[in-house]
Amino acid sequence: MDLSDTPEEEEFRARLREWLAKVLPTLPARPSPDDWPGRRAYDLGWQRTLHDAGYADVHWGASPTTRLIFLEETERAGAPYVGANFVGLLHAGPTIAAEGTPAQRARWLPHILRGDEVWCQGFSEPDAGSDLAALRTRAWRDGDDYVVSGSKIWTSHAEVADWCELLVRTDPRAPRHRGITWLAMPMDADGVTVRPLRTLAGSAEFAEVFLDEVRVPAANRVGEENDGWRVTLVTLSFERGTAFVGEVVACRRVLGELARAARDNGRWDDPVLRRRIGRLAAEFRALWRLTQWNVSEAEASGGVPGAGGSVFKLRYSHARQELYDTAADVLGPDGLDLDRPWVLDRLSSLSYTIAAGTSQIQRDIVAERVLGLPKGR
């Protein structure tokens, strides 16, 4: 496998670097983490800037390798993260592009790319969590609509979302992995109630969502009725396979900052700390190579990441926690000061072994689909 850039990729990388150097100094200040209306406006504004410059469709319209270059260069330059556009750009959009009808692609994809609409993810439930096959939110057909009742939890960006990628059970008599349907639900529909949840890090990017006989047009169903588990696996493949790519670049940057901070405050004299930083540097380098391998495999298989994404997600979520635990050691007593860099990141890193499927779920996938071991249940 050749991981070096082709001449065309080198030209794309250079052009992108030049554009970022020109446009980033002109951006307004980022809003505070708790200002979700402000964060929505900021994130959509950045997406429109990318769109107007011709970079918005790199998530779906370009090759996986070109997208990898885009994520690497934007993170390296300190460009805004996708933020409120996370679900739309990295989950719902790619799923609709792969599984939606031509009318659905025409309706939703341009608005996501232009930064017109925000999506949230309605997968997890209070009694299901990462075991999505245990979901209980019901939907039944009534004429041209589905009528949905139930509740979701840990719904990312629900407070400012226009649409929700929603999993519902449409056949309660079917086996647990069947009878599920993937719907696009408008968040302003009658019967939708959003209750924000405050996390350990103090932000409210998650919410509980209560659904009381919400009517969703059947035309908003992506894939066939009761075939939602297969469509969901496509969504999760993108989530675990490529959605965290930019964050690996960010972690490598943070690791360099940690080393400099340790040299400045004398902690670098600790050989144990130096070994931890060195091991993490090797770990993130290996994760980056694994990302390139996963992208190469996705490119060869039509653009949808495979089970290798679970290998990446499993190791990345733990490496991220180890990174910010090391940051606490570098900071010493200042590691309890919420206003210091990396402290809130350490708190939020705890969620990464749950987000996008728990580590236990990832181990099951790796055991069954990568190692070929028999199912344990």
Side-chain angles (χ1 to χ4, degrees), residues 22-323:
K22 186 185 305 180
V23 75
L24 291 183
T26 69
L27 295 182
R30 300 185 191 197
S32 68
D34 272 347
D35 179 9
W36 269 100
R39 289 179 64 178
R40 172 188 160 107
Y42 183 88
D43 295 340
L44 291 180
W46 172 241
Q47 183 60 26
R48 289 192 196 101
T49 301
L50 290 171
H51 179 269
D52 293 345
Y55 291 113
D57 64 350
V58 72
H59 293 288
W60 315 324
S63 70
T65 301
T66 301
R67 181 170 172 245
L68 196 66
I69 293 171
F70 173 83
L71 292 171
E72 184 179 16
E73 292 300 329
T74 50
E75 177 55 42
R76 182 176 286 157
Y81 186 54
V82 289
N85 292 312
F86 183 85
V87 174
L89 276 172
L90 305 181
H91 299 182
T95 302
I96 293 168
E99 298 290 333
T101 65
Q104 290 171 341
R105 290 195 286 269
R107 165 59 186 89
W108 286 307
L109 299 189
H111 290 288
I112 294 174
L113 292 177
R114 281 200 304 266
D116 297 334
E117 296 175 338
V118 169
W119 285 64
C120 63
Q121 186 179 55
F123 281 14
S124 296
E125 295 187 5
D127 295 322
S130 288
D131 185 10
L132 291 178
L135 67 86
R136 296 181 179 178
T137 294
R138 282 288 318 277
W140 58 94
R141 188 71 179 261
D142 182 23
D144 292 333
D145 295 334
Y146 287 99
V147 182
V148 183
S149 287
S151 66
K152 298 289 177 177
I153 197 168
W154 310 122
T155 307
S156 307
H157 309 142
E159 194 176 1
V160 293
D162 304 289
W163 293 92
C164 177
E165 53 174 14
L166 185 73
L167 291 185
V168 295
R169 186 164 293 285
T170 40
D171 185 354
R173 297 166 299 181
R176 42 191 256 124
H177 290 87
R178 300 174 185 171
I180 293 174
T181 299
W182 201 109
L183 299 176
M185 180 184 73
M187 290 297 287
D188 61 354
D190 291 339
V192 177
T193 301
V194 177
R195 183 184 301 167
L197 294 170
R198 189 161 294 278
T199 69
L200 181 66
S203 65
E205 62 192 80
F206 302 123
E208 294 176 284
V209 178
F210 300 94
L211 309 168
D212 182 15
E213 298 194 348
V214 180
R215 300 190 76 88
V216 179
N220 290 12
R221 186 189 69 226
V222 176
E224 297 299 321
E225 184 174 296
N226 299 327
D227 192 31
W229 183 255
R230 186 191 59 78
V231 180
T232 300
L233 291 181
V234 173
T235 305
L236 296 179
S237 295
F238 284 111
E239 183 176 30
R240 296 164 185 166
T242 56
F244 295 106
V245 167
E247 296 187 27
V248 174
V249 183
C251 286
R252 296 179 74 179
R253 174 177 48 78
V254 170
L255 194 60
E257 294 171 357
L258 278 183
R260 285 191 290 275
R263 289 189 180 94
D264 290 343
N265 68 9
R267 293 286 292 132
W268 192 252
D269 295 334
D270 182 349
V272 175
L273 179 69
R274 290 203 305 272
R275 279 197 295 273
R276 287 178 68 184
I277 291 177
R279 187 180 57 76
L280 280 168
E283 181 97 38
F284 283 110
R285 183 180 177 85
L287 280 169
W288 184 248
R289 289 303 189 192
L290 176 60
T291 298
Q292 290 177 306
W293 185 85
N294 283 337
V295 166
S296 177
E297 288 292 296
E299 209 159 31
S301 62
V304 178
S310 289
V311 179
F312 169 84
K313 168 61 177 56
L314 177 62
R315 192 53 223 164
Y316 168 69
S317 58
H318 289 273
R320 185 183 177 92
Q321 288 186 7
E322 292 171 16
L323 170 67

